[in-house]
Amino acid sequence: MSEEKKGQLAIFGGKPTFPKPLHVGVPNLGDRDRLFARIEGMLNRKVLTNRGPLVVEFEERIADLVGVKHCISMSNGTVALEIVTRALGFEHEVITPSMTFVATAHALQWQRITPIFCDVTPGGHHLDPARIRALVTPRTSGILPVNLWGRPVNIDTILSVAGQYDLPVVFDSAHAFGCSYKGKMIGGFGKAEVFSFHATKFINAFEGGAVVTDDAELAEKVRLMQNFGFEGRGQVSHVGINGKMTEVEAAMGLTSLESMDYFIRHNKGNYLAYKEGLQGIPGVELMEYDEDEYCNYQYIVIEIDERIASVACSNLLEVLSAENVDARRYFNPGCHRMEPYRSYFPNAGMLLENTERLLDRVLTLPTGTAISVDEVNKITSLVTRVIESGRAVRSRLRARAGTLHNIAEEGVAKCADFR
Ligand SMILES: Cc1ncc(COP(=O)(O)O)c(C=O)c1O
C-alpha cells in the first residue's frame, strides 16, 4: 500500500474520517410538536400512569399493526419476557439461544428458570430447530427463540418441534417489530411474542415493551400480573408485579409510530447503500434481509472471515473506532460466557460451536435516522480500504498495541517513582 493511502487511515496518523463518533442505536425521534402536544394533554388530564388514554391508544395501535387481538404494554421488554413466561408456567428449564442480548437469559434466570443454550444456524444466526430435540428433557417447560436482528427464525419448524413435545413457545421479538414471516406480521406466532421499545430500538417509547397474543386467557393473566394482580379497586386476584408503561412513554411510542414508515424507509436506504458498498469485499459478508417480507432494517450486521479478509473482526473494530465509527460487537461473548451462566455451564461452548464462531466475527455498524447514506458510503469505503491493506493494518495495530503497552508500563513506573 502506498504511503499516501496508509496515511489516510487514522491508525496511520491520518485525520479521522468523522469529526464526532457515529454510534449504533442513536434514538430515532418523531415529530417533537406532536410529542409535546401529547405531553401537554397528559399534564392537563393529570393522568400520568395506570393505563391512561395514551397507553390504551398505544396498545390498540400495536395490536392493530401486528394483527393480534391483545397487546399489553410493559415498562420494558425484559419485564414483558418475565411476566409472559411466568404466566405460561415456564419453570425448571427453557431452551433459548446464547446468541442474544443477555436480557433473554436473565428474564428466565431471574425466575430461577435455567436457560438451556441451543446453538444457532450459521447462516441465519437463529435457534437451530435441528438441535432443539437433543436438549429436551423431562424438565423442559418451554422454548424461547429470538427473532434476532429483526429476521424471523424458522418459525414453522420450531413450532412443529415444540408441538411434538407439547412445549409452549414464546418469541423474543425485541428486534422484530414491523417485520413479517411468510407475509404474516411477527407478533402473531406461538403462545405470545414480546417487543422492546427501548430507546435504541427503531420504534421507541424511551423505555417500553409489550406482550402480544391472540390468547384471551393468557392476555388477562399477563395484564393482572403487570399491575400487582389488581382486578378491581382494592381487589387482588393474582400475584403480580409492576410492569406498567407510563403515559409519557406511550406519548413517545405513539409519536414514534407516526414516523414508522419514514424510519423504515431511511433504514432501508442505509441498508441498500451498505449492501452496494460492501459487495464483493473479500471476507466481509453483510447479513441480508428478505426484501419480499416486511423488514425494519434496524441492524446492519456484517461477518468478517479473518482467513479471507486478512484482518480479524477485532482489528476492523479498532480501525473503525479510530475513524470515529463506533461499531459494536453485539452480542459477544454470548450469554454462556457471561455470569452467572459461565459458572453454571463452564463447558457450554462445546455445544455452541456456531454461536462461538459467529460471535467472534460479527460486527454491527451504525444506522438509523442519525446516519445518512453519505456517511454509510464513507464507512463502506473505509471497510474496503482496511481489507485492501489487511497486512499493513495488522502490523500497525500490533505496533500500536506495543506502544500502548509501553506507555502503560511507563505510567506504572512513573507512578512508582512518585510513591
Ligand atoms: C433480543 C432482546 N431481548 C430482550 C431485550 C430486552 O428489552 P428491554 O431493553 O426493553 O428490556 C432486548 C433489548 O435490547 C433485546 O435486544
Side-chain angles (χ1 to χ4, degrees):
M1 189 176 51
S2 72
E3 285 308 310
E4 187 200 347
K5 224 173 175 186
K6 265 199 246 171
Q8 287 172 6
L9 286 174
I11 56 159
F12 292 111
K15 204 167 133 211
T17 306
F18 299 100
K20 282 199 210 141
L22 264 49
H23 298 289
V24 172
V26 174
N28 293 326
L29 301 176
D31 185 317
R32 281 171 199 233
D33 291 341
R34 299 278 298 153
L35 175 65
F36 292 147
R38 285 193 167 101
I39 294 175
E40 185 84 29
M42 175 196 84
L43 294 174
N44 291 341
R45 279 189 298 278
K46 297 190 172 55
V47 177
L48 307 186
T49 188
N50 287 353
R51 204 153 187 258
L54 295 174
V55 163
V56 170
E57 189 184 342
F58 183 68
E59 291 179 345
E60 285 170 1
R61 289 274 290 129
I62 296 291
D64 196 41
L65 271 158
V66 170
V68 293
K69 294 197 184 109
H70 310 279
C71 169
I72 304 99
S73 61
M74 293 279 174
S75 49
N76 58 63
T78 310
V79 165
L81 283 170
E82 285 169 9
I83 291 180
V84 71
T85 51
R86 186 167 176 140
L88 280 164
F90 279 30
E91 56 181 355
H92 306 309
E93 292 178 1
V94 167
I95 297 169
T96 196
S98 169
M99 186 160 169
T100 177
F101 182 56
V102 73
T104 314
H106 278 355
L108 299 169
Q109 189 61 45
W110 192 256
Q111 304 174 71
R112 307 225 182 282
I113 299 169
T114 307
I116 301 295
F117 296 123
C118 181
D119 208 3
V120 294
T121 53
H125 304 186
H126 283 142
L127 202 61
D128 185 350
R131 297 192 184 227
I132 291 176
R133 274 193 191 87
L135 299 175
V136 176
T137 73
R139 290 172 59 77
T140 311
S141 62
I143 304 179
L144 181 56
V146 179
N147 287 317
L148 200 73
W149 316 130
R151 294 157 87 234
V153 293
N154 188 340
I155 294 179
D156 287 344
T157 316
I158 287 178
L159 289 178
S160 150
V161 173
Q164 286 161 28
Y165 297 95
D166 209 14
L167 291 170
V169 179
V170 170
F171 291 95
D172 178 342
S173 298
H175 297 183
F177 178 65
C179 306
S180 66
Y181 173 76
K182 298 189 176 173
K184 180 179 164 181
M185 295 310 281
I186 294 292
F189 295 94
K191 287 281 181 196
E193 301 204 39
V194 164
F195 295 127
S196 165
F197 300 111
H198 180 258
T200 52
K201 302 294 184 286
F202 91 106
I203 293 291
N204 87 83
F206 302 131
E207 288 266 5
V211 171
V212 285
T213 180
D214 277 324
D215 183 332
E217 211 177 304
L218 176 64
E220 196 187 327
K221 205 166 169 183
V222 166
R223 196 173 287 291
L224 283 172
M225 288 177 139
Q226 175 244 32
N227 186 24
F228 310 102
F230 275 115
E231 201 149 6
R233 215 174 241 195
Q235 201 178 338
V236 171
S237 65
H238 213 284
V239 64
I241 193 169
N242 182 356
K244 296 188 301 287
M245 177 179 269
T246 63
E247 283 288 275
V248 77
E249 287 168 333
M252 184 62 169
L254 284 165
T255 309
S256 298
L257 286 176
E258 282 168 352
S259 295
M260 181 162 156
D261 289 346
Y262 160 65
F263 295 157
I264 294 178
R265 242 190 348 269
H266 189 96
N267 283 350
K268 186 171 183 182
N270 282 353
Y271 164 73
L272 293 175
Y274 271 116
K275 193 170 162 181
E276 195 183 326
L278 297 172
Q279 211 163 32
I281 304 182
V284 177
E285 203 178 318
L286 175 71
M287 188 216 64
E288 293 197 14
Y289 290 97
D290 180 350
E291 288 171 49
D292 291 334
E293 296 283 357
Y294 290 105
C295 301
N296 58 35
Y297 301 95
Q298 70 174 314
Y299 291 99
I300 299 294
V301 180
I302 56 172
E303 273 180 49
I304 296 105
D305 185 340
E306 185 179 350
R307 292 161 310 176
I308 304 171
S310 73
V311 292
C313 182
S314 54
N315 301 142
L316 184 55
L317 184 81
E318 200 176 333
V319 180
L320 290 178
S321 167
E323 302 289 345
N324 272 331
V325 179
D326 185 20
R328 302 291 299 273
R329 294 192 72 179
Y330 289 163
F331 290 102
N332 187 283
C335 296
H336 68 290
R337 291 200 177 272
M338 297 176 183
E339 292 295 355
Y341 316 106
R342 185 173 58 182
S343 296
Y344 293 165
F345 318 110
N347 300 318
M350 290 169 79
L351 289 175
L352 299 170
E353 67 266 39
N354 289 333
T355 302
E356 296 230 308
R357 197 175 42 81
L358 283 171
L359 288 172
D360 224 32
R361 55 203 257 174
V362 162
L363 211 56
T364 308
L365 300 174
T367 187
T369 51
I371 308 291
S372 67
V373 164
D374 187 42
E375 287 168 324
V376 170
N377 291 338
K378 286 185 178 151
I379 295 173
T380 58
S381 99
L382 270 171
V383 175
T384 309
R385 279 158 53 203
V386 174
I387 304 300
E388 273 172 7
S389 42
R391 282 179 52 190
V393 164
R394 275 185 102 125
S395 59
R396 175 69 191 142
L397 291 178
R398 264 198 302 273
R400 233 165 78 112
T403 313
L404 291 177
H405 181 74
N406 289 343
I407 290 171
E409 295 267 288
E410 215 174 281
V412 170
K414 277 196 179 136
C415 287
D417 283 349
F418 280 119
R419 249 188 274 131

